[in-house]
Amino acid sequence: MNVVIQTRMCVEQEDGGICQNLPGSYNCSCAKGYKGDGFQNGTRCASKSSNDLKSAIIGSVSSFVGVSMVASGLFWWWSISRLKNARKKNFEQNGGEELEKLLVSMGGKQSFKLFSERELEIASKNYSIKIGKGGFATVYKGVLQDGTPIAIKKAESISNKEFNNEIVILSHISHRNIVRLLGCCLQTKSPLVVYEFVPNGTVFEHLHSKEKELSWETRWQIAMETAEAMTYMHDQASHGIFHRDIKSSNILLDNTFTPKVADFGISRLRPSDDEHLSTMHSCGTPGYVDPEFNNTNQFTDRSDVFSFGVVLVELLTGLTPLVSTEGSPRYLYDRFLSAINGNCLTNILDHKVMKEENQGQMENMARLAQECLQKEAKSRPSMREVVEKLYWIRVATKQPRPVEHTSDLYQTALNYHTLPSTSDNAKEHYYSVASCSTNNSDCPTTTFFQIEMSDKHAR
């Protein structure tokens, strides 16, 4: 009886326990290979190999964790160093130092910001909001930490020369109708350009989308203010600029339908008077390109005027620059010139906006477009003259048909007391002459715009 009780007090034999009977008592111990006191209510018996394995495992895990932490730290340091070196290398390869020297030597503004790669990734949510795509670049929307919306132009491939050219060009521009440069990022493989965000799409989208529509008044405003921007580029910027890719998809619209000329990737500074801008590379977009340039490879300000003429035709007709005639593609400007020369202009004008009260304006603008599309560049007006004539078209709103005589223009100016609003930048660059009367022999040689501005100053 005592033996049974004593056996129960010791760890079972199969678990490594040993029970030793003593006179009137007992003793518990652990077999070889076990450790403990052998008592059920004591430390029992535990296999030394199991504990050694546990200890080995714990030791191994601890060592692994320690090594992993050290390795992770080293990898993090290596990654950061590698990223910094890559960004530094990209900055150098993207011509960062050359760009800085160019801006200083050309007198460009230094107010734009050099954004970090991480800053633009956060702003654009890793470039998840695409708002536009061209032949060589994609544009993404972003929002900076201060809430400023931005547009990020991410080129698929771009040369240092082309990138530096766009930055230098835009550094010389400050006009309400030209998209504003905010900065750039040189830490990426291909540099990124950051612009103000213009929220209302392009003129192309509004003209050629069934869901959108532009009134005649808005179309005139777009033509007028785009012409002002181009006049500024050609004549008033610190260095004259040829855009070389004027088209409706490069004219952005804000929420008030104010146009902003964009995309200066292939623009060039205007050469001096005794030089010509010659290039063997194609300029612009099919349907907008000056045919004379294709023959001479010499780009002038009148080449931009031709492209603007195509935009005028788009605004007048609502048709795309490449139209299909009997299954074959044809340039819109060819079809337009055929219509106007064949006295069937009204057949091609956009009947959605052509009304009795603005038909005269549309026909006058069509004749201006015809001048811009002249085959010989020297026969085309300058952009300054285009602006003057666009003013006249709006002022002559009461004239149902084109007006041919200066005396009629002068009378129209006297009867019309409010010029449509336009940017102050452009107004500063137009001059006025002393008021004259129709009896003055000098009046017939004075442009309508000069007469109207003189009349305004006199009042």
Side-chain angles (χ1 to χ4, degrees):
M1 184 71 173
N2 289 339
V3 173
V4 173
I5 295 174
Q6 291 167 1
T7 301
R8 289 179 179 173
M9 294 296 294
C10 294
V11 175
E12 298 293 337
Q13 186 175 357
E14 59 264 26
D15 293 329
I18 298 176
C19 183
Q20 182 181 7
N21 288 314
L22 299 174
S25 183
Y26 66 93
N27 183 44
C28 296
S29 61
C30 294
K32 189 176 181 179
Y34 291 85
K35 64 179 181 178
D37 60 11
F39 287 92
Q40 289 277 11
N41 58 354
T43 58
R44 301 178 60 81
C45 293
S47 172
K48 289 183 178 180
S49 60
S50 174
N51 287 332
D52 291 343
L53 180 59
K54 274 185 187 178
S55 299
I57 291 174
I58 291 172
S60 298
V61 170
S62 299
S63 299
F64 177 77
V65 170
V67 170
S68 297
M69 289 179 67
V70 171
S72 297
L74 291 173
F75 180 76
W76 177 83
W77 176 83
W78 177 79
S79 299
I80 294 297
S81 300
R82 185 169 177 268
L83 184 60
K84 286 182 178 179
N85 291 334
R87 287 172 174 171
K88 183 178 179 181
K89 184 178 179 181
N90 287 335
F91 182 86
E92 294 172 352
Q93 290 183 343
N94 288 332
E97 294 180 359
E98 179 186 354
L99 174 61
E100 291 173 346
K101 292 177 182 177
L102 272 173
L103 288 169
V104 172
S105 64
M106 298 299 293
K109 62 184 179 183
Q110 302 296 313
S111 60
F112 72 92
K113 179 180 178 181
L114 285 176
F115 291 90
S116 70
E117 180 181 14
R118 182 58 180 162
E119 190 174 5
L120 295 184
E121 286 175 348
I122 295 173
S124 65
K125 296 182 179 178
N126 288 321
Y127 306 101
S128 60
I129 308 174
K130 185 167 69 173
I131 57 176
K133 183 171 176 61
F136 304 100
T138 304
V139 182
Y140 300 89
K141 182 183 178 182
V143 180
L144 299 178
Q145 288 186 344
D146 63 1
T148 302
I150 58 173
I152 306 168
K153 180 180 177 182
K154 192 175 185 181
E156 296 174 3
S157 63
I158 185 171
S159 66
N160 291 346
K161 185 176 180 180
E162 183 179 349
F163 170 74
N164 288 348
N165 172 76
E166 183 166 8
I167 297 298
V168 170
I169 291 290
L170 285 170
S171 74
H172 289 84
I173 293 176
S174 178
H175 193 280
R176 70 187 290 267
N177 296 117
I178 297 175
V179 68
R180 184 163 57 95
L181 173 70
L182 299 180
C184 64
C185 175
L186 302 176
Q187 296 180 342
T188 52
K189 188 173 182 180
S190 291
L192 308 175
V193 187
V194 182
Y195 303 97
E196 66 172 316
F197 176 66
V198 185
N200 205 10
T202 68
V203 172
F204 185 93
E205 292 168 353
H206 282 267
L207 281 176
H208 309 305
S209 170
K210 293 181 180 180
E211 291 78 25
K212 300 178 181 180
E213 188 171 320
L214 295 174
S215 67
W216 169 248
E217 289 73 17
T218 301
R219 297 187 194 199
W220 178 88
Q221 175 193 337
I222 291 168
M224 182 73 247
E225 297 191 26
T226 301
E228 286 181 359
M230 293 178 64
T231 302
Y232 169 84
M233 286 188 286
H234 287 178
D235 299 331
Q236 279 84 49
S238 57
H239 290 75
I241 296 165
F242 297 156
H243 188 281
R244 304 209 305 168
D245 197 16
I246 291 294
K247 56 184 178 180
S248 59
S249 58
N250 278 344
I251 304 172
L252 310 180
L253 297 173
D254 69 9
N255 287 328
T256 63
F257 290 92
T258 298
K260 292 180 182 286
V261 179
D263 198 345
F264 289 79
I266 62 172
S267 301
R268 294 293 182 271
L269 295 178
R270 183 174 193 147
S272 60
D273 293 338
D274 57 345
E275 295 177 332
H276 298 284
L277 182 59
S278 300
T279 175
M280 296 304 294
H281 301 289
S282 61
C283 296
T285 303
Y288 296 92
V289 179
D290 175 9
E292 187 172 82
F293 167 77
N294 289 331
N295 297 327
T296 65
N297 288 322
Q298 290 187 349
F299 198 97
T300 69
D301 58 343
R302 299 309 197 271
S303 303
D304 272 346
V305 172
F306 184 93
S307 300
F308 179 76
V310 178
V311 174
L312 287 182
V313 176
E314 280 187 87
L315 292 168
L316 286 163
T317 65
L319 300 175
T320 58
L322 290 173
V323 294
S324 178
T325 304
E326 297 178 355
S328 60
R330 183 183 180 188
Y331 291 140
L332 174 61
Y333 63 79
D334 282 335
R335 181 179 172 187
F336 169 78
L337 291 174
S338 296
I340 201 169
N341 292 330
N343 294 320
C344 53
L345 174 63
T346 54
N347 292 342
I348 198 174
L349 296 181
D350 192 345
H351 290 273
K352 290 186 295 185
V353 295
M354 187 174 67
K355 302 174 184 177
E356 184 177 353
E357 59 269 24
N358 62 31
Q359 183 174 342
Q361 288 184 16
M362 295 184 73
E363 291 179 0
N364 282 322
M365 186 182 283
R367 281 163 176 76
L368 174 58
Q370 183 184 28
E371 292 180 43
C372 295
L373 297 173
Q374 289 295 305
K375 184 177 180 180
E376 294 185 352
K378 63 182 180 180
S379 300
R380 301 168 197 157
S382 67
M383 286 310 304
R384 180 188 293 269
E385 291 170 328
V386 169
V387 168
E388 293 181 8
K389 292 181 180 184
L390 283 168
Y391 268 114
W392 167 75
I393 288 170
R394 187 65 169 174
V395 169
T397 185
K398 295 182 180 180
Q399 299 290 338
R401 290 292 183 270
V403 181
E404 303 293 343
H405 303 291
T406 305
S407 59
D408 293 336
L409 298 179
Y410 180 75
Q411 188 59 48
T412 302
L414 295 180
N415 293 336
Y416 197 96
H417 298 291
T418 305
L419 278 174
S421 62
T422 186
S423 73
D424 293 334
N425 288 339
K427 289 180 181 177
E428 291 174 0
H429 303 298
Y430 300 118
Y431 50 89
S432 61
V433 296
S435 297
C436 64
S437 67
T438 53
N439 294 326
N440 191 324
S441 59
D442 292 334
C443 283
T445 61
T446 305
T447 66
F448 170 78
F449 184 82
Q450 291 170 332
I451 295 172
E452 173 62 6
M453 290 299 289
S454 299
D455 183 61
K456 284 175 68 66
H457 285 301
R459 291 197 297 268

